[in-house]
Amino acid sequence: MSKRVLTTESGAPVADNQNSATAGVGGPLLLQDQHLLEKLARFNRERIPERVVHARGSGAYGYFEVTDDVTGFTHADFLDTVGKRTEVFLRFSTVADNLGGADAVRDPRGFALKFYTEEGNYDLVGNNTPVFFIKDPIKFPDFIHSQKRDPFTGKQEPDNVWDFWAHAPEATHQVTWLMGDRGIPASYRHMNGYGSHTYQWTNAEGEAFFVKYHFKTNQGVRSLSSEQGQELAGKDPNSHQTDLLQAIERGVNPSWTLHVQLMPAAEAADYRFNPFDLTKVWPHKDYPLQRVGRLVLDRNPDNVFAEVEQAAFSPNNFVPGIGPSPDKMLQGRLFAYADAHRYRLGVNHTQLAVNAPKATTAHNYGRDGLMASNAQGRAAKNYEPNSYDGPVETGRPLAAPLAVNGHTGTHEAPLHTKDDHFFQAGELYRLMSEDERSRLVANIAGGLSQVSLDDVIEKNLAHFHAADPEYGKRVEEAVRALRED
């Protein structure tokens, strides 16, 4: 069987791929060597800007299967029939580190899921924790700057990390999650995923419910200690990527069970916690988990760059029956995520194979731009309305409208009866066993003791004292002991 002929990008056959053209034997290179110039020029442009956050990622394809009837809460097409399957792509990631960082580090994990539904792609962008460090997007750039590499030292600095947290008491709940036993997942397969934000479901009758998503791993939650994480990161920086790839190649397909918490929209205003505050959870005794379906990953990408690095998720990709809530962090991300992809991948990134709809076809009036591939035919118009049988609006909103009132301006979030920055962090601490508490305290003290400013240490200690007196006392004693060594 004859081999295919190597060609240039224009399709011309390549005569010699081992030697550059020169002016005589041993002479200088010739500018006319089109193949050499094309290879070098393309090589210089192979990389695109990495994500500012969630840069290091892994992904896989699979399906979501509905196991329980939820049509009383949403008219989303992909959730309308028990047994119905929808193709998905799931991207896991670390948050703070660069593309070349290690997998087994203490950091939240991204859990970004794209449903290729018959009514368009639905993106659910969350983490492996149900809460986050901040509740207002105006703080997000400052927060990420504090967690990324310092502009002078070029590395993550405890001074910056803990200084931001000292000035963000609402982070205490997420810090308690991050420094606890689940702060370093053993693999992507052995962690839960959460929508984290509050979203809205709307049923066929127009009734609105606020919803939180919980993907519970069917492999069981497994995590690493700080020492185990450091050892594994040194031995195999790609540990999570390798584990996911090899598990699926062996046919050991990871799966998660999706549960949701549902709150009738009318109950939101008087709930004891602000239900749209990303730093807080809804206790399960208030809104129990209800099973929805099963998520299974069963196929690895053929090309990591094309399908994982170029995968673009945006929480504003909703489908009929699902919409946003007044969650301020979600509202900020509705813009920021899609804008980041337009910068990194271009305005036509939704036409890339991993991002394009699979169960339907996109019909719109977007045209031109770099790498445009959506040729519409010579008679197609690029404006609406028109008289030439172009796509038309439906007049049917995707979700129920959100009520608004009051004056424009910068406002703090409204306080509910149990709203403070520390109560839920204390509740989480009190749920832990003694061994879990000891490891949590050691993890916090290990970083906080390295901070150079006493004032920053004291501010952070005050947060832990406010969450739980024992919590604060133990962290304070551990920090003091480490600083006296």
Side-chain angles (χ1 to χ4, degrees):
M1 181 178 179
S2 61
K3 293 185 177 180
R4 289 175 297 167
V5 172
L6 176 66
T7 73
T8 65
E9 292 185 31
S10 62
V14 173
D16 191 339
N17 195 42
Q18 311 304 316
N19 302 286
S20 302
T22 60
V25 177
L29 299 182
L30 295 176
L31 190 61
Q32 72 183 40
D33 190 342
Q34 184 263 354
H35 181 49
L36 169 66
L37 300 187
E38 182 177 83
K39 284 185 72 175
L40 292 180
R42 182 176 184 84
F43 181 72
N44 285 343
R45 293 162 174 81
E46 282 183 355
R47 295 295 172 263
I48 60 176
E50 71 173 43
R51 289 168 167 85
V52 177
V53 289
H54 299 278
R56 180 175 181 82
S58 301
Y61 294 94
Y63 62 87
F64 178 78
E65 181 178 7
V66 179
T67 58
D68 294 77
D69 182 9
V70 291
T71 54
F73 307 104
T74 177
H75 64 89
D77 176 78
F78 76 102
L79 298 174
D80 68 1
T81 306
V82 171
K84 189 169 190 175
R85 288 188 177 186
T86 299
E87 184 179 357
V88 300
F89 182 78
L90 175 56
R91 185 179 187 270
F92 305 98
S93 56
T94 53
V95 174
D97 215 341
N98 300 98
L99 188 58
D103 287 338
V105 294
R106 188 172 296 278
D107 196 22
R109 299 299 191 276
F111 194 94
L113 187 59
K114 186 181 296 291
F115 298 84
Y116 299 101
T117 89
E118 295 176 5
E119 294 185 302
N121 291 351
Y122 171 45
D123 290 353
L124 183 59
V125 183
N127 284 326
N128 71 324
T129 59
V131 293
F132 196 60
F133 299 92
I134 54 176
K135 57 184 176 181
D136 193 305
I138 203 166
K139 291 187 174 186
F140 190 74
D142 299 295
F143 165 61
I144 294 301
H145 288 166
S146 75
Q147 310 298 301
K148 300 285 278 187
R149 297 176 185 272
D150 182 86
F152 173 66
T153 67
K155 60 189 181 73
Q156 191 181 57
E157 291 292 347
D159 274 350
N160 301 349
V161 171
W162 289 96
D163 186 34
F164 182 88
W165 289 342
H167 292 89
E170 69 269 29
T172 308
H173 193 186
Q174 172 72 316
V175 170
T176 304
W177 269 91
L178 179 62
M179 296 299 173
D181 280 359
R182 296 192 180 187
I184 312 177
S187 79
Y188 289 132
R189 296 182 298 128
H190 294 93
M191 69 181 198
N192 294 335
Y194 300 89
S196 301
H197 293 290
T198 299
Y199 296 90
Q200 185 205 84
W201 276 6
T202 307
N203 66 18
E205 288 71 43
E207 295 176 289
F209 301 83
F210 293 118
V211 59
K212 283 186 174 291
Y213 295 87
H214 302 250
F215 291 86
K216 300 292 188 179
T217 175
N218 294 325
Q219 291 69 238
V221 172
R222 284 179 48 202
S223 304
L224 304 174
S225 66
S226 295
E227 296 75 19
Q228 290 171 324
Q230 291 170 0
E231 181 180 358
L232 182 57
K235 286 182 176 179
D236 180 8
N238 305 299
S239 57
H240 289 28
Q241 163 68 14
T242 301
D243 175 84
L244 181 66
L245 175 75
Q246 293 183 349
I248 295 175
E249 288 297 291
R250 296 195 312 268
V252 182
N253 299 328
S255 66
W256 289 258
T257 300
L258 171 61
H259 298 81
V260 294
Q261 290 177 285
L262 291 161
M263 174 189 294
E267 296 181 11
D270 297 323
Y271 187 47
R272 56 192 176 127
F273 305 111
N274 182 348
F276 312 117
D277 182 346
L278 186 55
T279 68
K280 294 182 174 64
V281 298
W282 303 352
H284 293 180
K285 64 181 179 181
D286 294 345
Y287 295 97
L289 295 180
Q290 301 185 46
R291 193 177 66 173
V292 178
R294 185 169 66 111
L295 169 67
V296 179
L297 300 182
D298 59 6
R299 179 166 66 89
N300 284 310
D302 293 325
N303 185 291
V304 171
F305 176 81
E307 298 167 89
V308 179
E309 184 64 14
Q310 293 194 123
F313 300 85
S314 177
N316 66 358
N317 287 340
F318 293 114
V319 292
I322 303 177
S325 78
D327 181 335
K328 293 178 77 172
M329 282 296 293
L330 172 61
Q331 292 283 330
R333 284 172 166 157
L334 297 181
F335 161 76
Y337 274 60
D339 188 58
H341 302 315
R342 294 184 189 105
Y343 161 68
R344 292 183 63 244
L345 303 171
V347 70
N348 290 307
H349 67 274
T350 55
Q351 297 174 31
L352 296 170
V354 69
N355 300 321
K358 295 183 183 295
T360 186
T361 303
H363 297 288
N364 55 60
Y365 294 94
R367 297 290 190 274
D368 307 333
L370 288 173
M371 304 303 291
S373 62
N374 60 341
Q376 302 292 321
R378 63 183 182 180
K381 305 303 179 183
N382 65 341
Y383 57 89
E384 196 278 335
N386 64 61
S387 304
Y388 296 88
D389 199 29
V392 297
E393 63 193 21
T394 67
R396 298 189 299 272
L398 300 186
L402 298 173
V404 295
N405 59 73
H407 300 280
T408 61
T410 57
H411 304 285
E412 292 187 6
L415 287 177
H416 291 232
T417 56
K418 279 288 188 180
D419 269 343
D420 63 52
H421 299 314
F422 310 112
F423 177 79
Q424 289 199 352
E427 291 281 271
L428 179 58
Y429 176 80
R430 290 184 286 274
L431 282 173
M432 296 179 179
S433 68
E434 175 54 33
D435 286 344
E436 290 172 326
R437 294 182 187 184
S438 296
R439 290 188 290 268
L440 168 67
V441 168
N443 291 333
I444 293 174
L448 189 54
S449 63
Q450 299 178 53
V451 173
S452 58
L453 295 179
D454 289 341
D455 180 59
V456 172
I457 294 176
E458 292 303 319
K459 281 187 171 72
N460 278 285
L461 291 176
H463 298 167
F464 301 123
H465 278 289
D468 184 276
E470 179 195 286
Y471 188 8
K473 179 182 178 183
R474 292 178 66 167
V475 173
E476 182 173 1
E477 292 173 348
V479 169
R480 184 185 305 117
L482 288 172
R483 289 173 69 84
E484 289 174 351
D485 283 349

